[in-house]
Amino acid sequence: MSTVTAPTPIETALPTAVRLGGAAFAYGSTVALTGVTGDLPAGTALALIGPNGGGKSTLLRGLLGLVGVAAGELDVLGTRPSAARSRIGYMPQSDEIDPEFPISLAQVVMMGRYRSIGWARRPGRRDRDAVASALERVGLADRAHDRFGELSGGQRQRGLLARAIVSEPSLVLLDEPFNGLDQANRDALLAIVAELKASGTALVLSTHDLDLARAACEQSLLLNGHQVAFGPTHRVLTLENLEALYGDVQVELDEHTLVVPGHDHG
């Protein structure tokens, strides 16, 4: 397994991309997540970690303005989530594109431009250049005209990331982006995450991979229906916090093993 250098400490002078103050999120009258407090500076990444149903996907949807804030405060890129949506890139846990559908990788990535160009207008030179640039960033420029369904799973993941970043968002949300990837594609995605942070983009990614959180994310947020811990990753990913988060499943942390719940999506 390759070695990835852990991210450097957070620079406090960086502008804030996301600010949460005791935020709770609800689907209608059903509250799904409570008590989330913390700031995410621009140019840094936040790992969301927790069991199935713990609120990771709920928080991502809340940052997109798709789930209501039932209590507390949430500020995304200096405004309310729905107003910031055009400056947010989102890579879902799974994609709706049928692998048999006759669509090229470049056409999939172009979907990420539709919010800015509108569905009625044809993409222009600037849009095509943006697609080419995004594919270059994820190392797939030579596959632009290949059918999306013919790509490997890791290449499709990188293609969907290109779709998320093609409009040069200030905040990128990734839902389980490393699931099922081999080491080569994992390393490629880690390099892209590092490049995005270096350009000033903030990222929030959900994951069950503690090594990934430590390699890619300056901060981590532990969720299980409420906030268990939020802060610098090296301080949050402790045996004590993980025991409080999971209770009864097996989680390995360095040489130690915890008994904790099943790792599913939530």
Side-chain angles (χ1 to χ4, degrees):
M1 181 177 290
S2 61
T3 302
V4 179
T5 303
T8 54
I10 299 167
E11 296 287 343
T12 56
L14 293 171
T16 300
V18 176
R19 174 161 289 144
L20 296 135
F25 300 88
Y27 297 91
S29 60
T30 303
V31 176
L33 179 63
T34 63
V36 185
T37 297
D39 293 349
L40 173 66
T44 65
L46 170 68
L48 305 182
I49 300 169
N52 178 42
K56 300 184 300 297
S57 293
T58 293
L59 180 55
L60 292 176
R61 294 179 188 126
L63 295 175
L64 285 166
L66 302 177
V67 176
V69 179
E73 299 178 354
L74 172 60
D75 182 283
V76 179
L77 301 175
T79 185
R80 65 188 187 282
S82 59
R85 201 175 297 161
S86 64
R87 293 185 287 149
I88 301 174
Y90 176 53
M91 179 179 166
Q93 193 174 117
S94 60
D95 195 70
E96 69 284 357
I97 299 172
D98 183 345
E100 299 304 316
F101 191 73
I103 186 171
S104 71
L105 172 60
Q107 288 172 315
V108 168
V109 177
M110 185 64 77
M111 292 176 182
R113 298 286 296 178
Y114 289 158
R115 188 178 295 156
S116 60
I117 67 178
W119 290 91
R121 185 171 72 80
R122 291 177 62 85
R125 176 63 179 273
R126 182 177 177 183
D127 303 305
R128 292 190 294 273
D129 287 348
V131 168
S133 176
L135 286 172
E136 185 71 36
R137 292 179 80 177
V138 302
L140 292 175
D142 60 334
R143 306 300 300 271
H145 301 296
D146 291 359
R147 187 165 65 81
F148 185 73
E150 293 177 347
L151 302 176
S152 70
Q155 289 169 335
R156 288 199 296 270
Q157 287 284 81
R158 283 191 276 151
L160 294 175
L161 179 55
R163 184 178 69 173
I165 66 175
V166 70
S167 290
E168 300 184 355
S170 299
L171 173 65
V172 174
L173 311 179
L174 308 174
D175 201 352
E176 297 285 357
F178 290 82
N179 269 5
L181 295 187
D182 60 22
Q183 192 61 48
N185 279 297
R186 176 188 171 96
D187 289 346
L189 252 65
L190 282 170
I192 297 162
V193 167
E195 180 189 336
L196 288 168
K197 290 190 297 182
S199 71
T201 304
L203 297 99
V204 180
L205 61 94
S206 67
T207 183
H208 289 299
D209 189 329
L210 304 184
D211 288 334
L212 169 65
R214 291 191 290 190
C217 301
E218 289 78 8
Q219 296 196 88
S220 289
L221 168 56
L222 307 186
L223 297 172
N224 192 359
H226 64 281
Q227 177 175 306
V228 174
F230 190 147
T233 295
H234 69 281
R235 294 179 184 168
V236 167
L237 295 186
T238 64
L239 287 170
E240 180 180 6
N241 284 340
L242 292 170
E243 284 175 331
L245 178 67
Y246 287 113
D248 291 335
V249 181
Q250 256 193 0
V251 170
E252 189 174 316
L253 183 63
D254 300 323
E255 309 84 28
H256 305 283
T257 298
L258 298 179
V259 181
V260 293
H263 291 174
D264 239 337
H265 307 307

